[in-house]
């Protein structure tokens, strides 16, 4: 059945009048629909007017940002506080027999929800989603048992993704520590160009770009990067510069130095460089680039508008080269770890596809 949100939710007005909650309890919300510790400096702010965010309460920021709405859901078993500039709300107690708060949160996670929300927003220079407009938005509700199944399936997927991310982070830290110990006593008497072939990206004409899988995969810059591999957003029918599967992709415009690995042959834009090992020691080169990150940070402060690095400057970066046998030994020990990380990331991609299928079906409701 279809309901207006206003039939199902109510504002939370509980104020922090007794100052039970302090600065460490203040939360903000993100465009990715997460609650996070606030980054605002509120040291001199009176907190007695802040609204208490109870478990399973929601918070949203009425101001739109890039056609998105900041929103969060309190999944913790504790309370926080939020500024009165945000709207804090919850499912009405009498409506909990037809709507799970967790299901409502999934409704807000849908790709199309921000578009729907911004359609209801008003304003010229500052566009806001008023509470009254928020309440006029609609939601299709399946039976409660179906909601419970959807939430259960979603939680299984997201918990598996979190576990795989944690495993991958730990594995990369171990491999990186092994690399640092290996080069600790080695002088940086070589150059990046000794180990790698560098190709600077060039962006094709804008009209050749598309998101319809026409042409070749195209990565423009760091905005495409993930934990270790980039996410496909665009394709081009007129590629200019290429990276091969397994090449390291490095951001050459601010922030300079971040790295990913190409998981397929692809085209690269001017925000990236392809760095390919001359000796096929991909793992050794990858951790060399991670180590170089701290040196490359200085380029983020140079230039008139954005930091950047040239091909010559990148090629001239001093590194510990080590001998061929040492690099190959490192490769033998670490490549299986990197392969395990890659397989975990591919499983995450599959799980995210299932996650998207679940969310895309919510709009249909009952």
């Amino acid at each position: 059945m279809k309901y207006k949100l206003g039939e199902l939710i109510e504002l939370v007005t509980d104020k922090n009048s007794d100052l039970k909650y302090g600065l460490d309890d203040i939360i903000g919300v993100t465009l990715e629909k997460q609650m996070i510790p606030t980054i605002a400096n509120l040291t001199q702010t009176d907190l007695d007017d802040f609204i208490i965010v109870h478990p399973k309460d929601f918070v949203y920021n009425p101001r739109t940002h890039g056609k998105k709405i900041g929103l969060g859901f309190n999944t913790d078993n504790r309370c926080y506080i939020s500024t009165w500039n945000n709207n804090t709300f919850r499912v009405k107690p009498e409506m909990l027999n037809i709507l799970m708060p967790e299901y409502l949160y999934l409704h807000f996670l849908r790709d199309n929800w921000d578009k729907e929300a911004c359609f209801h927003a008003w304003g010229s220079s500052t566009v806001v989603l008023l509470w009254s407009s928020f309440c006029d938005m609609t939601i299709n509700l399946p039976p409660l048992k179906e909601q419970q199944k959807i939430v259960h399936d979603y939680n299984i997927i997201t918990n598996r993704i979190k576990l795989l991310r944690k495993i991958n982070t730990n594995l990369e830290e171990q491999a990186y520590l092994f690399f640092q110990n290996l080069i600790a006593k080695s002088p940086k008497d070589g150059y990046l160009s000794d180990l790698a072939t560098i190709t600077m990206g060039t962006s094709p004409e804008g009209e050749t770009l598309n998101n319809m899988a026409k042409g070749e995969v195209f990565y423009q810059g760091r905005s495409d990067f993930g934990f270790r591999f980039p996410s496909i957003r665009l394709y081009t029918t007129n590629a200019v510069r290429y990276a091969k599967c397994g090449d390291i992709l490095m951001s050459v415009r601010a922030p300079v130095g971040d790295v990913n690995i190409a998981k397929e042959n692809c085209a690269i834009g001017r925000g990236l460089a392809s760095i390919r090992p001359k000796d096929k020691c991909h793992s050794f080169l990858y951790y060399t680039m991670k180590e170089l990150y701290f040196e490359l940070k200085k380029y983020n402060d140079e230039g008139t508008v954005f930091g950047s690095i040239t091909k010559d400057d990148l090629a001239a970066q001093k590194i510990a080269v080590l001998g061929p046998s040492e690099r190959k030994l490192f490769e033998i020990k670490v490549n299986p770890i990197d392969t395990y990380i890659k397989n975990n990331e591919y499983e995450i991609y599959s799980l995210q596809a299932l996650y998207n299928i679940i969310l895309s079906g919510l709009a249909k409701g009952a």
Side-chain angles (χ1 to χ4, degrees):
M1 292 183 61
K2 180 178 286 188
Y3 294 85
K4 285 190 174 183
L5 284 179
E7 300 177 75
L8 305 168
I9 62 176
E10 62 184 12
L11 278 173
V12 175
T13 58
D14 305 337
K15 291 188 177 181
N16 187 37
S17 53
D18 59 359
L19 297 178
K20 179 179 179 180
Y21 302 101
L23 292 173
D24 292 338
D25 303 305
I26 302 173
I27 55 92
V29 294
T30 71
L31 301 181
E32 290 73 36
K33 312 299 179 279
Q34 300 293 323
M35 280 185 11
I36 59 170
T38 183
I39 59 174
N41 184 0
L42 300 172
T43 305
Q44 304 299 322
T45 304
D46 293 329
L47 303 182
D48 54 346
D49 278 338
F50 277 51
I51 303 299
I52 299 174
V53 184
H54 300 272
K56 297 190 178 182
D57 283 354
F58 296 82
V59 178
Y60 88 87
N61 185 335
R63 296 184 64 175
T64 63
H65 299 272
K67 297 184 178 181
K68 282 184 171 289
I69 300 290
L71 185 144
F73 177 49
N74 186 5
T75 58
D76 296 333
N77 293 318
R78 56 156 295 186
C79 295
Y80 298 93
I81 53 175
S82 175
T83 173
W84 51 266
N85 290 324
N86 295 330
N87 286 324
T88 301
F89 65 95
R90 63 168 63 107
V91 176
K92 294 177 180 179
E94 64 270 24
M95 292 298 176
L96 290 172
N97 62 332
I98 64 170
L99 173 61
M100 295 178 65
E102 295 85 355
Y103 182 85
L104 179 59
Y105 178 55
L106 298 191
H107 173 75
F108 296 136
L109 289 177
R110 295 182 301 115
D111 286 340
N112 285 336
W113 185 80
D114 283 295
K115 183 185 295 185
E116 296 169 9
C118 290
F119 178 78
H120 286 78
W122 296 87
S124 52
S125 58
T126 301
V127 182
V128 297
L129 179 62
L130 300 174
W131 173 248
S132 58
S133 300
F134 188 90
C135 289
D136 280 338
M137 297 179 67
T138 60
I139 181 173
N140 290 309
L141 292 185
L144 196 64
K145 285 188 176 180
E146 187 175 335
Q147 294 180 40
Q148 292 169 342
K149 183 181 185 306
I150 291 171
V151 170
H152 177 263
D153 292 346
Y154 167 83
N155 286 337
I156 288 177
I157 292 171
T158 54
N159 288 337
R160 177 63 178 170
I161 290 174
K162 288 177 183 177
L163 176 61
L164 292 172
R165 289 286 190 215
K166 184 176 181 179
I167 290 172
N168 280 357
T169 299
N170 289 337
L171 287 174
E172 180 161 295
E173 288 175 354
Q174 292 176 32
Y176 187 32
L177 180 61
F178 178 54
F179 173 83
Q180 290 177 313
N181 290 335
L182 182 65
I183 67 168
K185 297 181 180 180
S186 299
K188 292 185 178 181
D189 54 0
Y191 300 95
L192 183 59
S193 58
D194 296 333
L195 289 185
T197 300
I198 300 170
T199 301
M200 305 296 283
T202 299
S203 295
E205 295 297 327
E207 58 267 22
T208 72
L209 302 178
N210 68 89
N211 58 6
M212 305 298 291
K214 295 180 179 179
E216 297 170 89
V217 172
F218 173 71
Y219 297 124
Q220 176 62 56
R222 185 192 178 280
S223 60
D224 297 320
F225 281 7
F227 166 74
R228 181 174 281 213
F229 303 98
S231 298
I232 299 174
R233 294 187 303 113
L234 293 172
Y235 297 79
T236 178
T237 56
N238 186 30
V240 181
R241 297 283 173 80
Y242 295 88
K244 289 185 177 180
C245 180
D247 286 0
I248 294 165
L249 304 177
M250 193 195 93
S251 172
V252 294
R253 296 195 171 197
V256 172
D258 289 332
V259 294
N260 258 201
I261 299 173
K263 60 183 183 293
E264 66 279 293
N265 294 337
C266 57
I268 54 173
R270 61 177 177 269
L272 297 177
S274 162
I275 304 171
R276 185 178 307 151
K278 293 179 177 179
D279 58 0
K280 298 184 179 181
C281 291
H282 289 84
S283 292
F284 186 86
L285 183 58
Y286 174 76
Y287 291 100
T288 295
M289 296 310 301
K290 284 185 67 67
E291 184 72 8
L292 262 181
Y293 173 77
F294 302 100
E295 282 295 319
L296 296 172
K297 283 175 63 177
K298 65 184 180 182
Y299 289 91
N300 292 325
D301 300 323
E302 298 180 359
T304 56
V305 181
F306 297 109
S308 61
I309 187 171
T310 67
K311 180 178 180 178
D312 288 343
D313 285 338
L314 183 56
Q317 293 298 307
K318 298 295 291 290
I319 61 171
V321 174
L322 303 186
S325 59
E326 291 178 292
R327 296 198 300 272
K328 289 180 180 178
L329 180 61
F330 178 85
E331 202 72 15
I332 290 171
K333 290 185 176 181
V334 174
N335 185 259
I337 297 176
D338 286 341
T339 299
Y340 194 92
I341 291 174
K342 179 177 69 175
N343 291 337
N344 282 347
E345 287 297 309
Y346 284 176
E347 182 179 346
I348 288 173
Y349 298 146
S350 298
L351 291 170
Q352 287 172 332
L354 291 175
Y355 165 99
N356 291 330
I357 290 172
I358 289 176
L359 295 185
S360 64
L362 296 188
K364 298 176 183 178

